[in-house]
Amino acid sequence: MTTPTLLARLGDRIGSPDLRVAPTDPLTPSRMRVEVLAGLTVALALVPEAVAFAFVAGVDPLVGLYAAFIVGMVTALIGGRPGMISGATGALAVVMVSLVAQHGVEYLFAAVVLMGIFQLIFGAMRWGKFIRLVPHPVMLGFVNGLAIVIFLAQLTQFRDGTGAWLPLGDIALMLALVGVTMAVIWGLPRITNVVPAPLAGILVTAVIVIAAGLDTPTVGDLASVQGGLPAFHVPSVPLTWETLEIILPYALILAAIGLIESLLTLNLVGEITGQRGGASQECIAQGAANTVTGFFGGMGGCAMIGQSMINVKSGGRTRISGVSAALFLLLFIVAASPLIERIPLAALVGVMFMVVIGTFAWNSLKILARVPRTDAVVIVLVTVVTVATDLAIAVIVGVIVSALAYAWQNATRISATTSDAGGVRTYRVRGPLFFGSAAGFAEMFDPDADPDTVVVDFAESRVADQSALQAIEAVAAKYEERGKELQLRHLSRDCHRLLQRAGHLMIDSDDDPDYAIAANYNVRTGILGGH
């Protein structure tokens, strides 16, 4: 196959991305105002988050801020869900810290570039569609766990640089300011929607602190956010096999965590806004963003559920809000750092506390006693694992538990009824035949007592996998050993194709899959090697 043909096929797989600025809303002056103000609100909340995650990863604060700007800008322009915000995240930072500690920040930049390449490949292969396999109980556990993680992350703002709690008087003052911010965010939408409520809450609290001269921690107490424009920089690592061995495991883990969190956030934002988005397009956007970020001194990133919720709650629905957030963040770094560093941390904590309240699926607490027990266990399990470890492990655990529960439920549904006519016994099988039900299928037959000819009717069953083929062959072999014959009837087209490809069918016909003719197929044994 020629290279142009391969590229053409790859292009067909990727499809045409939807890059419309506003897929659903017309860009009126009113809409533009809402989008820009929503972006400003997000940018203000991004500053302490990016700085904090940079500290977690063990890198300079500007490395986190540059990542927030570049990842946020690229995904806002070409991402799969307008209105979704991406940047440096804690889920990735906790993985990066050991790489930075052992090998230095240049190896982190190289790992971020490779992470982006992997994500581009995943997007080109359209693997983002597999996010549909994540069950709803896992989604509930995901949002609940992430809400708790966001809440716990805010508690660090009540500690000093050594990790000790602030004096009680300082904590009380911060809690009062947090309460003011939350009250403004809660009450303002009941009066007017001219200004996004989170932005108003930040501004009101900042004015109170500055006007009253209150001594409370500010953004500047975390770190200086002043810097220049990000510069192109090729990671200074040797291009050797040893380097690849070092960064490859980190790149794969970071790519997986980033895409899982991004695609789950994409689904969550879609449920709130009622918009459809492209999972594979989001994978490509995340990959492009991280590849670029690695070459501009950023720590990489993915979708941020907290900032996305702030944007959505502030009215952001188009790409303009995400682009505005990135541009405002760059403006803060380059020109407005003295002003931004005066914002009290209590105001930003209040905004994030409101995000926690809005993100946590409170209804899940009510339905725990009503949903199937397995689903309730999955909700609680994913929540706990998200808080205790990380999002990727929690989602994988939840999907595995849900899949095993589903397999067990289907395994118990296999059954059969028998009828005799003209010296032939017919077993009418009900339920899917797959690895979980193969043992139960074999136990339904009685080769010693059955007549010389036995028909297995699959009109209400399906042959699903190799375990099913093995089970059919094992049963047929038992009858063969006793000089008896086992035949299959009413195979669906996919079952017919599966059995024929494996070599079990001794008759080649396409009539039976359509049930036009009730053909009986003899079974050839010895294909899969013993019973």
Side-chain angles (χ1 to χ4, degrees), residues 336-363:
S337 58
L339 182 61
I340 299 303
E341 290 172 5
R342 299 185 65 184
I343 295 176
L345 290 177
L348 303 175
V349 171
V351 172
M352 297 311 295
F353 277 175
M354 292 301 288
V355 169
V356 169
I357 294 173
T359 301
F360 194 91
W362 300 100
N363 188 53

Side-chain angles (χ1 to χ4, degrees), residues 475-489:
V475 172
K478 291 180 180 179
Y479 282 97
E480 190 177 87
E481 290 172 357
R482 293 161 176 78
K484 300 178 181 181
E485 185 180 43
L486 183 73
Q487 299 177 342
L488 310 181
R489 176 183 294 175

Side-chain angles (χ1 to χ4, degrees), residues 2-61:
T2 62
T3 300
T5 304
L6 285 173
L7 293 175
R9 289 195 174 186
L10 180 60
D12 290 339
R13 291 186 64 87
I14 296 175
S16 300
D18 183 359
L19 300 179
R20 290 177 295 171
V21 174
T24 57
D25 298 335
L27 284 179
T28 62
S30 176
R31 168 49 55 188
M32 289 287 292
R33 175 184 57 80
V34 171
E35 297 291 329
V36 172
L37 291 178
L40 175 59
T41 307
V42 169
L44 291 172
L46 268 174
V47 173
E49 296 270 302
V51 171
F53 295 146
F55 285 153
V56 170
V59 297
D60 186 89

Side-chain angles (χ1 to χ4, degrees), residues 300-353:
C302 63
M304 307 178 73
I305 186 172
Q307 310 304 325
S308 297
M309 291 299 101
I310 292 175
N311 188 45
V312 170
K313 300 297 183 183
S314 300
R317 293 294 186 275
T318 72
R319 299 188 186 277
I320 293 175
S321 58
V323 171
S324 299
L327 292 176
F328 276 123
L329 183 60
L330 183 62
L331 179 64
F332 298 161
I333 296 171
V334 175
S337 58
L339 182 61
I340 299 303
E341 290 172 5
R342 299 185 65 184
I343 295 176
L345 290 177
L348 303 175
V349 171
V351 172
M352 297 311 295
F353 277 175

